[in-house]
Amino acid sequence: MALLVQKFGGTSVGTTERIEAVAERVARCRAEGHDVVVVVSAMSGETNRLIGLAHDIMEEPVPREMDVLVSTGEQVTIALLSMALHKRGCDARSYTGSQVRILTDSSHTKARIKEIDEHRMRDDLDAGRVVVVAGFQGIDEAGNITTLGRGGSDTTAVALAAALKADECQIYTDVNGVYTTDPRVVDSARRLERITFEEMLEMASLGSKVLQIRAVEFAGKYNVPLRVLSSFEEGEGTLITFEDENAMEQPVVSGIAFNRDEAKLTISGVPDTPGSALRILKPVSDANIEVDMIVQNVGEDNKTAFTFTVHRNDFKRAQEVLRGTSAEIGAGEVGGDTKIAKVSIVGVGMRSHAGVATRMFEALSNEGINIQMISTSEIKISVVIDEKYLELAVRALHSAFELESAGTQEQS
Amino acid sequence: MALLVQKFGGTSVGTTERIEAVAERVARCRAEGHDVVVVVSAMSGETNRLIGLAHDIMEEPVPREMDVLVSTGEQVTIALLSMALHKRGCDARSYTGSQVRILTDSSHTKARIKEIDEHRMRDDLDAGRVVVVAGFQGIDEAGNITTLGRGGSDTTAVALAAALKADECQIYTDVNGVYTTDPRVVDSARRLERITFEEMLEMASLGSKVLQIRAVEFAGKYNVPLRVLSSFEEGEGTLITFEDENAMEQPVVSGIAFNRDEAKLTISGVPDTPGSALRILKPVSDANIEVDMIVQNVGEDNKTAFTFTVHRNDFKRAQEVLRGTSAEIGAGEVGGDTKIAKVSIVGVGMRSHAGVATRMFEALSNEGINIQMISTSEIKISVVIDEKYLELAVRALHSAFELESAGTQEQS
């Protein structure tokens, strides 16, 4: 008899047939005696259709009206899902963000939740009803409709779970959990039963697009147990949990994340004087280009090389900015490479285990893979390598850290 | 410098191009110095698309959720129109029924407006903004989304005009006004510059589908001057006004309305005793069949014939009910005819002019048209004739009452 918040994304509610399947699952859960609050996204394709209409009219639509427009997408889904629940004899009631009252700030198209009034939901749950809430949307103090930005439905679900002190927030997606790495790259990739919030954050930010990073942060902050499950098959999914719960059993490395979206830029012959890094990076960030990894080596002859990565879409612009900077500060050539990949090992266990980096580098060296850049954090080591070795590197690391079988790493 | 409420229906906002055309018209009106509140329907086709989704899930969708679903249609339009106004440098703000606060009762899918909070609209108007309101929808005391039923956008416009004490409520449609009769039937049909509320009600209820009858009633009740205009061409349209304003110039007959949707049922050999009419009509109304015209003649041999009309869709059911009644009360045969048409002349002027009926019957007789039923009210005379003579009858009456030229009837 738990209180569960269940979130179903656009693909899970993409057709009326799929909405019926979601209703089936929710009704079963209710019949088992659980209290259920369901959060849904717009039917897949609907948000893009609405944005298309807006762009027919103007290139940069007024944000306030954009929110009025796109928030209809989830409103359609909550109505249809509530009908499908009624059809199954399961009493249900739909709520828009405004009706719940999910109070946000007034930053249209990227609002942040400030407060949730849970009393109407609580009344419905007490009356035995399933509560169906439109994800992604809220209302500001002045009564204007706001949206949380793309993927905001995950955030809505976590925020509702926090407000209601739910036992679990379940995010239903098209994958059945979080994997040690991408199963399309490594056959023996294994679903994790648990992963910590910190690891999940690193995995998510590194390109494992299972959950919105904001939702994970939010869940961590408010201690909401989060579970990722599949809408299309049965299974326990992956529970995202708190580190201390099972500290003794933490594996050294939980997963291998990777990312092919980055490009590398190098400026050489940089005068090795204080302020060089600033003079190079400020024009880049002024151009609204986000920088990921940064490496600077000790130089020779008072010259040094400075390397960083950006999103591939920003590569050309970053290169232009950098050429200007090079001329200004009297540095040398600006080199670049878009054919790189970043591979990371992630795991809270590496905090207390020495030699993890060595083991990683050894595995790559054994395969003859050259490491171009290295960057580390407490629970992550990332390397940049030639893109063509990506799959090979991921497989080698997956095997080196024995991720294919659960529970063996503790021995290492 | 008037305060105008302008309503644009589904066809007028059926595409983003058409929404831009509406914005153009509204922005021009605003530039002329008028305060403008715009009420819009869903883009044509959208409401049916949404209803289709609901019917994919269940045959009789839960009314509360149906309202949540279909109210998204107008919400899309208000956002797009507001964007199109901004594009023209015309500050505008959209409101859903819930945001305005259009308070209704809780009769989902056919709610009635109880109260309108005009203060947010007033603030926007004072700040020089155009206010764009979603038609057809409201919210009940408990915060549930309601809809006024099909065509309810006209009612929204009139109700807003009443609440704001607007100078005029302008209903933009795909016709450029109210005509003396259907121009597709009579070439010389003429647009009326004015028509009274009473006449408009008779015309509307008789099948001139320019305006929703509820909206006309509402406008009459709250003294809101109503004007029907075309979205697609320039022109003054038709002003629906109060009788006493120009009483001296009232023509005898303002227009010819007609209706092909009815069917006639006759039960003969009815015992001519008190209570017969009740015994015949009660089972019909118990079956939820609406009856329009009723005629009972003086009988012979203590027997009488009883004739009434119903909507053609209800003909078969009414016939069955009537057969049962006939057996019960010992009446005779139940006859029926679906190939009939009702033609009516409408005009407040006939109150003070004798001989109008005579002139009508003479015109029909001259064409050899047999009258099957007659029914009269203070400002209307209706006859039922064979359907095949409908066009001929309408043309003959249009000519007999000299409707093709304005201002000539007063001499008669």
Side-chain angles (χ1 to χ4, degrees):
Chain A
M1 309 308 181
L3 168 52
L4 304 175
V5 175
Q6 304 187 319
K7 182 256 168 179
F8 295 89
T11 318
S12 307
V13 294
T15 61
T16 48
E17 287 76 23
R18 288 194 172 175
I19 289 172
E20 300 240 28
V22 167
E24 195 65 41
R25 190 183 275 272
V26 171
R28 209 162 55 225
C29 188
R30 178 77 200 96
E32 285 164 8
H34 301 299
D35 286 334
V36 189
V37 173
V38 188
V39 175
V40 286
S41 304
M43 295 168 77
S44 54
E46 181 62 6
T47 305
N48 285 335
R49 184 184 76 88
L50 293 167
I51 292 173
L53 287 173
H55 284 155
D56 277 359
I57 288 174
M58 63 202 302
E59 249 175 74
E60 291 186 28
V62 194
R64 181 188 184 277
E65 302 303 335
M66 202 61 185
D67 282 351
V68 172
L69 181 69
V70 297
S71 62
T72 61
E74 293 76 32
Q75 191 171 328
V76 166
T77 320
I78 56 172
L80 294 175
L81 178 57
S82 300
M83 289 175 190
L85 284 165
H86 275 274
K87 182 178 167 184
R88 285 162 179 77
C90 179
D91 197 4
R93 213 171 258 185
S94 73
Y95 291 94
T96 62
S98 138
Q99 285 178 309
V100 167
R101 201 169 184 241
I102 299 179
L103 185 70
T104 71
D105 62 23
S106 301
S107 309
H108 286 291
T109 76
K110 46 180 190 294
R112 293 194 162 253
I113 296 174
K114 290 169 71 175
E115 204 181 296
I116 288 176
D117 179 354
E118 82 280 8
H119 89 269
R120 292 189 74 178
M121 293 187 289
R122 190 74 73 184
D123 288 350
D124 280 328
L125 292 174
D126 289 348
R129 289 188 198 103
V130 169
V131 175
V132 182
V133 178
F136 169 74
Q137 57 182 247
I139 193 160
D140 72 3
E141 292 276 8
N144 297 302
I145 295 169
T146 54
T147 68
L148 311 178
R150 286 228 159 184
S153 291
D154 285 359
T155 310
T156 302
V158 172
L160 291 180
L164 291 163
K165 297 182 182 53
D167 294 292
E168 209 169 277
C169 179
Q170 304 182 329
I171 310 286
Y172 287 84
T173 67
D174 48 4
V175 298
N176 66 3
V178 180
Y179 274 70
T180 51
T181 195
D182 188 336
R184 284 168 300 186
V185 171
V186 181
D187 282 345
S188 58
R190 185 175 48 81
R191 180 176 59 77
L192 293 161
E193 281 179 27
R194 298 168 162 262
I195 186 172
T196 69
F197 279 101
E198 286 172 292
E199 288 169 332
M200 190 64 206
L201 279 176
E202 293 287 3
M203 296 289 271
S205 66
L206 291 168
S208 301
K209 285 159 198 141
V210 178
L211 276 177
Q212 287 296 314
I213 192 159
R214 234 171 100 192
V216 179
E217 282 173 358
F218 212 81
K221 190 169 161 193
Y222 290 99
N223 287 0
V224 175
L226 206 56
R227 187 182 291 276
V228 177
L229 308 103
S230 164
S231 301
F232 306 109
E233 44 181 284
E234 298 298 317
E236 292 300 303
T238 299
L239 182 68
I240 301 160
T241 179
F242 305 96
E243 193 184 350
D244 47 351
E245 275 182 20
N246 286 288
M248 291 295 289
E249 296 168 34
Q250 287 301 345
V252 178
V253 168
S254 292
I256 317 285
F258 56 85
N259 183 342
R260 300 176 215 250
D261 294 335
E262 296 190 19
K264 182 179 79 166
L265 288 147
T266 300
I267 177 166
S268 54
V270 178
D272 195 5
T273 52
S276 286
L278 176 69
R279 265 173 285 161
I280 292 167
L281 288 181
K282 188 156 187 307
V284 176
S285 71
D286 285 351
N288 260 319
I289 298 169
E290 257 186 70
V291 171
D292 180 29
M293 288 171 78
I294 302 172
V295 173
Q296 185 183 3
N297 261 350
V298 178
E300 288 170 24
D301 306 331
N302 290 327
K303 299 276 181 189
T304 182
F306 193 94
T307 303
F308 59 92
T309 63
V310 297
H311 195 281
R312 278 191 197 176
N313 295 344
D314 294 327
F315 178 70
K316 283 232 162 118
R317 278 201 307 137
Q319 204 173 30
E320 279 164 36
V321 170
L322 219 52
R323 281 182 181 142
T325 308
S326 176
E328 252 174 54
I329 65 172
E333 212 184 330
V334 172
D337 190 356
T338 59
K339 298 204 174 309
I340 59 158
K342 184 165 78 167
V343 180
S344 309
I345 58 174
V346 176
V348 292
M350 66 176 74
R351 279 185 189 144
S352 49
H353 282 74
V356 177
T358 316
R359 197 156 145 201
M360 180 186 197
F361 303 154
E362 189 184 18
L364 295 174
S365 161
N366 285 344
E367 301 293 342
I369 299 169
N370 186 40
I371 298 172
Q372 302 178 10
M373 292 172 80
I374 301 172
S375 151
T376 61
S377 81
E378 273 207 22
I379 66 161
K380 178 195 71 175
I381 304 173
S382 301
V383 297
V384 165
I385 58 172
D386 187 328
E387 186 186 38
K388 71 182 174 195
Y389 295 125
L390 173 65
E391 287 83 0
L392 179 60
V394 172
R395 278 193 293 265
L397 292 170
H398 199 266
S399 161
F401 289 100
E402 297 168 22
L403 291 175
E404 61 279 357
S405 56
T408 58
Q409 288 177 69
E410 290 86 313
Q411 304 152 8
S412 73
Chain B
M1 309 306 179
L3 169 51
L4 304 174
V5 174
Q6 304 186 320
K7 183 257 169 178
F8 295 88
T11 318
S12 307
V13 294
T15 62
T16 48
E17 287 76 23
R18 288 193 173 175
I19 289 172
E20 299 240 27
V22 167
E24 196 65 44
R25 190 183 276 271
V26 171
R28 210 163 54 224
C29 189
R30 177 77 199 96
E32 285 165 7
H34 300 300
D35 285 335
V36 188
V37 173
V38 187
V39 175
V40 285
S41 304
M43 295 169 77
S44 54
E46 180 63 5
T47 306
N48 285 335
R49 183 183 77 89
L50 293 167
I51 292 172
L53 287 172
H55 284 154
D56 276 359
I57 287 172
M58 64 201 302
E59 250 175 73
E60 290 187 28
V62 194
R64 180 188 185 278
E65 302 304 337
M66 201 61 184
D67 282 351
V68 172
L69 181 70
V70 297
S71 62
T72 62
E74 291 78 32
Q75 190 171 329
V76 166
T77 320
I78 56 172
L80 294 175
L81 179 58
S82 300
M83 289 176 190
L85 285 165
H86 274 274
K87 183 178 167 183
R88 285 161 179 79
C90 179
D91 197 3
R93 213 171 260 183
S94 73
Y95 291 94
T96 62
S98 137
Q99 287 179 309
V100 166
R101 199 171 186 240
I102 298 178
L103 185 70
T104 71
D105 61 24
S106 301
S107 309
H108 286 292
T109 76
K110 46 181 191 294
R112 295 196 161 252
I113 296 174
K114 290 169 70 175
E115 203 181 295
I116 288 175
D117 179 353
E118 82 280 7
H119 89 271
R120 290 188 76 178
M121 292 187 289
R122 190 76 73 184
D123 288 350
D124 279 330
L125 293 174
D126 289 348
R129 289 188 199 104
V130 169
V131 174
V132 181
V133 177
F136 169 73
Q137 56 182 249
I139 192 160
D140 73 3
E141 292 277 6
N144 298 303
I145 295 169
T146 54
T147 66
L148 311 179
R150 286 230 159 182
S153 290
D154 286 359
T155 310
T156 302
V158 172
L160 291 180
L164 291 162
K165 297 181 181 54
D167 295 293
E168 208 168 278
C169 179
Q170 305 181 330
I171 309 285
Y172 287 84
T173 66
D174 48 4
V175 297
N176 67 3
V178 181
Y179 274 70
T180 50
T181 195
D182 189 337
R184 282 169 303 185
V185 171
V186 181
D187 281 345
S188 59
R190 186 174 46 81
R191 178 176 59 78
L192 293 162
E193 281 180 27
R194 296 167 163 263
I195 185 171
T196 69
F197 278 102
E198 286 171 293
E199 288 169 333
M200 190 64 207
L201 279 176
E202 293 288 3
M203 297 288 271
S205 66
L206 290 167
S208 300
K209 285 160 199 140
V210 178
L211 276 177
Q212 287 295 314
I213 192 160
R214 233 170 102 194
V216 179
E217 283 172 358
F218 212 81
K221 189 169 163 193
Y222 290 99
N223 286 0
V224 175
L226 205 57
R227 187 183 291 276
V228 177
L229 307 103
S230 164
S231 301
F232 304 110
E233 43 180 284
E234 298 298 316
E236 292 300 304
T238 299
L239 182 66
I240 301 160
T241 180
F242 304 95
E243 192 185 349
D244 48 351
E245 276 183 19
N246 287 285
M248 291 295 289
E249 296 167 34
Q250 287 301 348
V252 178
V253 168
S254 292
I256 317 286
F258 57 86
N259 183 341
R260 301 176 215 250
D261 294 337
E262 296 191 19
K264 185 179 75 167
L265 288 147
T266 300
I267 176 166
S268 54
V270 177
D272 196 4
T273 51
S276 285
L278 176 69
R279 266 173 285 160
I280 291 168
L281 288 182
K282 189 157 185 309
V284 176
S285 71
D286 284 351
N288 260 320
I289 298 169
E290 259 186 70
V291 170
D292 180 28
M293 288 171 77
I294 303 172
V295 172
Q296 184 183 3
N297 260 348
V298 177
E300 288 170 25
D301 305 333
N302 288 329
K303 298 276 181 188
T304 183
F306 192 94
T307 303
F308 60 90
T309 63
V310 298
H311 194 282
R312 278 191 197 176
N313 295 344
D314 293 327
F315 178 71
K316 284 232 162 119
R317 278 202 306 136
Q319 205 172 27
E320 280 164 36
V321 170
L322 220 52
R323 281 185 182 139
T325 308
S326 177
E328 250 174 57
I329 65 173
E333 211 185 330
V334 172
D337 190 356
T338 59
K339 297 204 174 310
I340 59 157
K342 183 165 79 167
V343 180
S344 309
I345 57 174
V346 175
V348 293
M350 66 175 73
R351 278 184 189 145
S352 49
H353 283 75
V356 178
T358 315
R359 198 156 145 200
M360 181 185 195
F361 302 154
E362 188 184 20
L364 296 174
S365 160
N366 285 345
E367 301 294 342
I369 299 169
N370 185 41
I371 299 173
Q372 302 178 10
M373 292 173 80
I374 301 173
S375 151
T376 62
S377 81
E378 272 206 22
I379 65 161
K380 178 193 73 174
I381 303 172
S382 301
V383 296
V384 166
I385 59 172
D386 188 328
E387 186 185 36
K388 71 181 173 196
Y389 295 125
L390 173 65
E391 288 82 1
L392 179 59
V394 172
R395 278 193 293 265
L397 292 170
H398 200 266
S399 161
F401 288 99
E402 296 168 21
L403 291 174
E404 62 279 355
S405 55
T408 58
Q409 289 178 68
E410 289 87 314
Q411 302 152 11
S412 73

